[in-house]
């Protein structure tokens, strides 16, 4: 007896397997919409990251510049020890506000020797001042001048570096512990402050923030190289072969 094979009818749907044009168009539309949403999310993320980096970079620049000024001013010093007959060195601490923004010239122990066997010490001449930017028109920049050797012209020479860009104003104030008051000016060549250093220095910087608006940054620093209770604040540096000279 032969068993006849069972035949099942072919499905009409199977004979027409595939997507219709409407289904394809709907799928493409959904994929395009998902892609658009994904691009928007990534675009917003990248823009947020760019803005955050801009804010962080600007505040980092200002913070580092302010910290450097505070650190170097804290190591300012005066000394009378030199060759009295051949004065080759002269120490100073002097503010000048004739240019709108303040400038400060001083001698300090903040120099860092980076070359082996260089004829240098930790003493240097420093200046901070604001001038029109040498490369970007329309903005002002805070510059730092350093001469790695102290000579008889502490307000000249050395190399100039840009410290903070887009600066609006720089102001220095000085705490006079003798009178227990803050002073707007300080000049060790002046009879009122001759051979004396302030106890504290206040630095106020106005510069453009990340948003383009002028922001105010303030810091204070203490000057440590002072002789408390002495007739003057000039240090006596022994072992130089020089004697104390009073101008």
């Amino acid at each position: 007896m032969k068993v006849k094979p069972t035949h099942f009818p072919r499905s009409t749907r199977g004979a027409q397997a595939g997507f219709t044009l409407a289904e394809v168009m709907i799928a493409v539309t959904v994929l395009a919409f998902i892609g658009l949403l994904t691009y928007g999310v990534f675009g917003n993320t990248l823009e947020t990251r760019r803005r955050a980096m801009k804010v962080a970079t600007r505040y980092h620049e200002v913070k580092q510049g302010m910290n450097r000024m505070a650190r170097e001013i804290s190591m300012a010093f005066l000394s009378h020890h030199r060759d009295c007959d051949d004065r080759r060195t002269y120490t100073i601490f002097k503010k000048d506000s004739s240019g709108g923004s303040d400038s400060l010239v001083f001698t300090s122990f903040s120099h860092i020797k980076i070359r082996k066997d260089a004829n240098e010490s930790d003493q240097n001449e420093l200046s901070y001042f604001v001038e029109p930017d040498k490369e970007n028109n329309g903005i002002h920049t805070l510059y730092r001048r350093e001469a790695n050797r102290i000579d008889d012209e502490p307000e000249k020479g050395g190399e100039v570096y840009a410290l903070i860009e887009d600066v609006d104003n720089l102001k220095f104030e000085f705490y006079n512990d003798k009178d227990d008051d803050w002073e707007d000016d300080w000049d060790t060549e002046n009879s009122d402050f001759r051979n004396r250093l302030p106890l504290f220095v206040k630095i106020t910087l106005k510069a453009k923030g990340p948003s383009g608006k002028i922001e105010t940054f303030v810091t204070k620093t203490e000057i440590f190289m002072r002789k408390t209770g002495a007739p003057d604040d000039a240090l006596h540096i022994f072992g130089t072969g020089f004697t104390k000279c009073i101008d």
Side-chain angles (χ1 to χ4, degrees), residues 72 128 187:
E72 293 180 333
Y128 292 111
D187 183 358

Side-chain angles (χ1 to χ4, degrees), residues 95-104 128-130 142 169-174 184-185 202 204:
K95 169 188 166 178
D96 183 9
S97 54
S98 59
S101 288
D102 293 347
S103 64
L104 185 65
Y128 292 111
F129 56 93
V130 176
L142 171 60
N169 186 266
L170 176 66
K171 181 177 178 61
F172 294 101
E173 296 175 81
F174 313 94
D184 290 329
D185 294 295
K202 180 180 179 181
T204 303

